[in-house]
Amino acid sequence: MAEVEKRGERTLVPTEWTYAPAPESTEIVRLRDAYGLYVGGEWLEPSESYTTLSPSTEEALAEIGQAGPEEVDAAVTAARDAFANGWSALPGSERAKYLYRIARILQERAREFAVLESMNGGKPIKESRDVDLPLAAAHFFYYAGWADKLEYAFPNRRPRPIGVAGQIIPWNFPLLMLSWKIAPALAAGNTVVLKPAETTPLTALLFADVLRQAELPPGVVNIVTGDGRTGAALVKHPGVDKIAFTGSTDVGKAIQRELAGTGTKLTLELGGKAANIIFDDAALDQAVEGIVNGIYFNQGHVCCAGSRLFVQESIYEQTISKLKRRMATLRVGDPLDKNTDVGAINSRMQLERIQELVESGKDEGADIYQPPCRLPEKGYWFVPTVFTNVAQSYRIAQEEIFGPVLSVLTFRTPEEAVEKANNTPYGLSAGIWTEKGSRILWMAQQLRAGVVWANTFNRFDPTSPFGGYKESGFGREGGLHGLEPYLTFDSSEPWGG
Ligand code: NAI
Ligand code: MG
């Protein structure tokens, strides 16, 4: 029994609030030993393969295909055939039925997907269960609703599908990024070749099972696994009409160079270094929750993470002490434990990148704080970290760390906050915490960021467009805006003829 302390005359309370393990069972997941490539509604045996791991245990989970150019070509051909042979001519109301079906199946199989997502990617089960899965299903529901209303969404512009969409996604929200990509593409009448990230292919491969269950016509969605070489082969393929990419800025730039002058449509959703700005009139306890959610959610593997905290000088000490106290309560460990707040780092490579940047922060002279925390012996882990005494020029204030590491800076006036917040090559998101509505509106106008949250952070909704400025990329995903990159319009009659 837990040690108890007597309070007053009667009440017994534990002296220490520890948590008993609360593991989610993995029994619902049926892993295969090896997975093929999902092409034309069939499983194609890959010529090469690699092993996918659990980042929290380093155990092998399955063998995954490493698709080469010929296999990518087979997938693009299957997508092209499906586009020409029925899918693009299907009435929108029929396409919508498939999307609704997929959405419902995702809801029905949510637990299976959530457990698999946490096994393969390392994110806490409470996040894959309460964020990734509900949002993934919501995206399919939302775009199902547009499929038969494109003429109303874009009046007098005669929207038509483009053709084959090549979609390359990262490892931080594997199934959710799949949904962001596939749902609008299909709603608009395109067919798809999707390449999941090499470290997190399993939920995309399970999704192929959903497509079969939904009886989606073969070839409408094809899934080719593999690393950057597979992605590059997809980008180079002349049969692809549109590329949608989410990932690092470097790869995004390479793709843009590759496609320059080819006429292939492109949208890029790249990195970020978001400012989370706390004014002295903000509700501070809520703001501290927002800071924690902003940077420690999903181990900080979030392109819109609030990785630069700007605190107004007058409340600096108070904010930092509240933040440190809150950080000490974060539970780091087994992603499948329902009490875990911060799970495993997605890969050894990402862990090394985080470590390298954290070292640079120490070397450049910032002060580091990490709460006491016992990490599991196996697997990839990083303790939630905050750097204070950070100068704007430090690498930890400039570069995307993509890990649970926060850099704190200060400001005195709203003008100074804006100037510092915008002092970055990125421009994906920002947060503002203040009681003044007028200040929120003024700040939102000044900040060069695609998404600005006010008195909240990391909120997502399928109806709301998401995307960046500057080196964070271009094009929007979500909402009505998210359909546009998957459509072509009658440019001869731009004003409706
Ligand atoms: P990455 O950009 O290399 O990987 C993202 C996707 O692109 C993966 O599916 C990958 O296989 C594919 N890919 C890689 N090289 C390619 C190429 N030449 N052509 C086509 N596709 C290619 O990102 P990586 O290496 O996993 O992470 C490095 C850093 O990038 C992270 O530390 C983080 O800062 C940033 N990043 C940002 C993301 C975001 O959501 N904005 C997502 C993932 C990474
Ligand atoms: Mg890379």
Side-chain angles (χ1 to χ4, degrees), residues 198 248 251 349:
E198 52 269 45
S248 64
V251 174
M349 213 176 86

Side-chain angles (χ1 to χ4, degrees), residues 168-172 195-198 226-228 231-232 235 245-248 251 255 269-271 303 349-350 353 400-402:
I168 300 166
I169 56 172
W171 39 263
N172 51 344
K195 194 203 81 68
E198 52 269 45
D227 60 15
V235 170
F245 173 79
T246 301
S248 64
V251 174
I255 292 176
E269 204 266 272
L270 309 176
C303 46
M349 213 176 86
Q350 188 58 31
R353 186 177 153 75
E400 183 175 50
I401 302 175
F402 226 60

Side-chain angles (χ1 to χ4, degrees), residues 379-397:
Y380 315 131
W381 309 95
F382 203 84
V383 181
T385 299
V386 60
F387 274 112
T388 50
N389 201 13
V390 177
Q392 286 191 79
S393 59
Y394 292 177
R395 285 182 66 200
I396 53 168

Side-chain angles (χ1 to χ4, degrees), residues 111-350:
R111 199 167 140 244
E112 183 186 359
F113 270 97
V115 171
L116 186 60
E117 197 76 303
S118 287
M119 286 168 74
N120 198 197
K123 66 173 66 199
I125 185 71
K126 77 173 176 198
E127 290 178 10
S128 41
R129 181 193 63 201
D130 298 344
V131 181
D132 296 65
L133 259 295
L135 277 176
H139 269 268
F140 279 101
F141 277 121
Y142 174 73
Y143 280 111
W146 278 123
D148 62 346
K149 301 175 193 71
L150 299 176
E151 300 282 348
Y152 304 95
F154 304 100
N156 302 320
R157 293 181 67 196
R158 295 202 203 164
R160 292 186 311 278
I162 299 171
V164 176
Q167 307 183 318
I168 300 166
I169 56 172
W171 39 263
N172 51 344
F173 295 92
L175 186 75
L176 185 57
M177 288 303 104
L178 173 152
S179 312
W180 281 30
K181 297 278 184 282
I182 293 182
L186 297 194
N190 303 280
T191 57
V192 164
V193 178
L194 177 103
K195 194 203 81 68
E198 52 269 45
T199 56
T200 54
L202 289 176
T203 47
L205 293 165
L206 185 61
F207 184 76
D209 207 35
V210 171
L211 298 175
R212 283 186 156 186
Q213 214 180 324
E215 294 175 8
L216 189 76
V220 172
V221 173
N222 306 274
I223 296 170
V224 289
T225 49
D227 60 15
R229 291 169 294 171
T230 309
L234 186 57
V235 170
K236 279 198 178 76
H237 198 292
V240 173
D241 302 295
K242 185 227 156 43
I243 290 286
F245 173 79
T246 301
S248 64
T249 296
D250 285 348
V251 174
K253 285 181 180 172
I255 292 176
Q256 196 173 11
R257 277 195 295 272
E258 180 71 38
L259 294 182
T262 61
T264 306
K265 282 199 170 206
L266 176 64
T267 43
L268 296 175
E269 204 266 272
L270 309 176
K273 192 74 186 175
N276 203 359
I277 305 167
I278 320 290
F279 285 96
D280 59 7
D281 65 341
L284 201 52
D285 289 319
Q286 282 173 37
V288 167
E289 283 308 304
I291 296 166
V292 167
N293 170 44
I295 187 65
Y296 304 121
F297 171 65
N298 200 31
Q299 297 71 246
H301 300 330
V302 183
C303 46
C304 51
S307 51
R308 288 182 303 151
L309 176 67
F310 290 95
V311 185
Q312 198 156 19
E313 264 183 20
S314 49
I315 54 161
Y316 177 77
E317 298 298 337
Q318 205 186 346
T319 306
I320 298 304
S321 89
K322 277 179 187 278
L323 175 62
K324 287 181 177 172
R325 198 165 67 210
R326 178 66 179 87
M327 283 169 72
T329 68
L330 290 173
R331 289 178 297 272
V332 186
D334 183 4
L336 288 165
D337 192 309
K338 292 167 202 153
N339 290 325
T340 292
D341 297 307
V342 179
I345 298 302
N346 185 264
S347 65
R348 182 181 296 281
M349 213 176 86
Q350 188 58 31

